[in-house]
Amino acid sequence: MTESFQALYPHQLDAQKQRYETIKEGFSEYFGNNRDFSYFSAPGRTEIGGNHTDHNRGCVLAAAVNLDIVAAAAKNDENVIRLKSIEYEKMDVIDLSDLSVQESEKERSSSLLRGICARCKQLGYQIGGFDAFTMSQVLKGSGLSSSASFEVLAVTIISHLYNDGAIDPITAAQISQYAENVYFGKPSGLMDQMASSVGGFTAIDFRDPEKPVLEKVSFSLDGVGYAMCIVDTGGSHADLTSDYASIPSEMKAVATLLGCEHLREADEAEFFRRLGEIRKQTGDRAALRAIHFFADNRRAQEEAHALKGGNFEYFKELILESGDSSAMYLQNAYSIKDPQSQGVSLALAVSERILRGKGAWRIHGGGFGGTMQAFVPLDLVPRYKAEIESVFGKDTCHILSIRNAGGVKVSL
């Protein structure tokens, strides 16, 4: 897919023109002045509904945001990828004659590039060398999935440089996930990559993760007078890996007692009939997390229906319900390893004081530390940003809108 520059950045033309000029200069500096290159863009993403439902084959509502990573890229005939990011000193250099998993590359961007090329080749797509210079607005650690946007950008480059743009958005997301799982070494779900690749509001059903069902939802936050804000609270300094891992493992423990592998296949009525037995076998927290799954899986679908029907007031009610459920039942507002660090809970409390009866607010993403999300009336945005940043610091409140395009080649 190709998107015009004006369509991608309708409210930021001058600033983005300067940004693209910086990218052009960077490409010329590292790869030469006389190269015929193209621009490519992939957005960050935000989770709207379905908190920790995807790993149990549930439903989510996600959206691409108006922060992106952009590359100037051109073919080379050396069968080598050279990618230089303005944000990092070291250039990634990948020899495509060896597409095997490299243990020394695990958790590095070079592993993603190698893995993406390997998967493209396995699926029958053409691959080849290219030189690229990138610049990203998708802040690392912001909960907007900078890794997924980088992966989708790389697939988009290969799609256009070597396959005439033939790699569709769903396949692009699956290729990206494969690279992250197998080559990078992170067992992520598919939501992040899918939201970045497809663009706009996207309802995704993961009942069959090999064939996820997507529905794009046409809705404009600007049209109803709202902005979406993502607040970076700084997060806990504790190691959160076990906190995150406990959620799918406890949900699946409940599913096992109900005779299935994932809660999506479980009978909710049977769960409640056997709740006394289940809490004894799995513990109260696992039972509560299952209750969250059943309700938030439905809510994600209802949120999509509310937006499709233009019922933004009901959508806000659902967002508040989801946030309450995450805090009380899923219990991912903070880590029990560091109970004095509760930035997300504090941000939710500040948000409630400002937005009660007007907006909506919820835990964003994995939880335990990091970010929260708020839907804020446009006339309250200055106050909301000022008060939030008086607590958490300058530039911790990111004011975003929804981007309709996913990974694209950019036409200037």
Side-chain angles (χ1 to χ4, degrees):
M1 179 179 177
T2 300
E3 190 74 48
S4 73
F5 184 86
Q6 290 78 9
L8 280 183
Y9 311 109
H11 307 300
Q12 304 172 315
L13 288 177
D14 289 342
Q16 292 294 337
K17 285 177 182 177
Q18 181 56 55
R19 179 178 174 225
Y20 272 61
E21 185 63 30
T22 300
I23 294 168
K24 176 183 177 181
E25 292 170 358
F27 182 89
S28 298
E29 177 185 349
Y30 284 93
F31 306 117
N33 287 309
N34 300 316
R35 301 285 297 280
D36 182 16
F37 66 83
S38 299
Y39 290 109
F40 302 91
S41 166
R45 72 94 187 101
T46 182
E47 170 198 288
I48 306 292
N51 195 213
H52 283 280
T53 53
D54 57 330
H55 50 61
N56 266 259
R57 300 194 175 182
C59 296
V60 301
L61 178 65
V65 298
N66 63 325
L67 297 178
D68 64 351
I69 179 172
V70 173
K75 280 185 179 182
N76 65 47
D77 58 4
E78 302 168 54
N79 205 37
V80 169
I81 293 175
R82 288 183 288 262
L83 186 144
K84 177 68 175 71
S85 297
I86 197 171
E87 294 85 9
Y88 299 98
E89 183 177 347
K90 186 177 180 181
M91 180 184 296
D92 289 317
V93 181
I94 298 92
D95 184 345
L96 299 180
S97 63
D98 182 1
L99 295 179
S100 63
V101 176
Q102 306 291 311
E103 291 299 322
S104 62
E105 287 182 342
K106 286 289 180 75
E107 300 187 1
R108 291 168 49 194
S109 56
S110 54
S111 69
L112 296 172
L113 295 169
R114 194 183 304 274
I116 284 166
C117 288
R119 189 58 174 163
C120 285
K121 188 173 183 179
Q122 290 169 12
L123 295 175
Y125 294 107
Q126 298 297 311
I127 63 170
F130 63 85
D131 299 321
F133 185 87
T134 71
M135 186 175 185
S136 182
Q137 295 175 321
V138 187
L139 306 173
K140 290 182 70 65
S142 64
L144 300 174
S145 198
S146 58
S147 59
S149 59
F150 177 84
E151 294 155 12
V152 170
L153 178 76
V155 180
T156 303
I157 291 171
I158 293 168
S159 178
H160 284 274
L161 292 186
Y162 286 99
N163 297 278
D164 297 321
I167 303 179
D168 66 88
I170 295 177
T171 303
Q174 292 169 331
I175 291 169
S176 299
Q177 183 200 24
Y178 175 88
E180 187 162 314
N181 291 173
V182 178
Y183 280 70
F184 188 86
K186 180 181 177 182
S188 67
L190 188 58
M191 179 185 71
D192 294 353
Q193 293 87 352
M194 197 74 79
S196 177
S197 182
V198 172
F201 283 103
T202 307
I204 313 171
D205 187 336
F206 288 110
R207 183 183 291 275
D208 181 353
E210 296 300 315
K211 297 178 181 178
V213 177
L214 275 75
E215 182 180 9
K216 291 203 71 170
V217 178
S218 179
F219 188 83
S220 169
L221 283 178
D222 291 343
V224 292
Y226 275 74
M228 181 173 62
C229 295
I230 299 294
V231 178
D232 182 359
T233 70
S236 171
H237 295 291
D239 179 2
L240 301 176
T241 301
S242 61
D243 294 278
Y244 292 124
S246 69
I247 294 177
S249 66
E250 289 181 8
M251 287 184 179
K252 288 176 182 178
V254 174
T256 298
L257 280 178
L258 295 171
C260 50
E261 185 176 356
H262 302 93
L263 281 177
R264 181 64 182 275
E265 295 102 47
D267 184 313
E268 185 178 357
E270 180 187 357
F271 165 80
F272 279 104
R273 283 197 304 270
R274 297 174 58 187
L275 184 55
E277 169 198 349
I278 288 169
R279 69 179 290 246
K280 291 177 182 177
Q281 293 289 325
T282 65
D284 290 341
R285 189 174 71 172
L288 287 164
R289 284 173 165 173
I291 290 171
H292 166 82
F293 173 87
F294 289 125
D296 226 42
N297 186 56
R298 282 193 300 274
R299 268 191 292 266
Q301 299 169 71
E302 291 174 8
E303 286 163 359
H305 289 311
L307 292 183
K308 284 190 293 184
N311 191 346
F312 192 65
E313 290 303 310
Y314 182 47
F315 170 81
K316 289 191 296 180
E317 291 178 19
L318 293 168
I319 291 292
L320 291 171
E321 288 179 10
S322 178
D324 288 344
S325 180
S326 292
M328 291 189 295
Y329 306 140
L330 187 61
Q331 298 183 23
N332 66 335
Y334 65 94
S335 172
I336 58 173
K337 298 173 186 174
D338 186 11
Q340 290 302 312
S341 180
Q342 296 196 35
V344 170
S345 298
L346 186 59
L348 292 169
V350 174
S351 298
E352 181 179 16
R353 189 178 69 83
I354 301 169
L355 300 176
R356 181 190 290 274
K358 299 173 183 177
W361 52 94
R362 67 187 285 271
I363 294 166
H364 182 246
F368 298 112
T371 61
M372 62 145 290
Q373 178 187 77
F375 294 88
V376 184
L378 292 176
D379 62 350
L380 276 180
V381 167
R383 177 191 167 194
Y384 183 78
K385 180 177 173 64
E387 293 200 25
I388 282 288
E389 293 188 351
S390 73
V391 178
F392 296 101
K394 182 175 172 57
D395 297 328
T396 53
C397 179
H398 306 288
I399 303 166
L400 306 177
S401 59
I402 304 304
R403 164 170 150 160
N404 289 322
V408 292
K409 181 179 180 180
V410 182
S411 173
L412 296 183

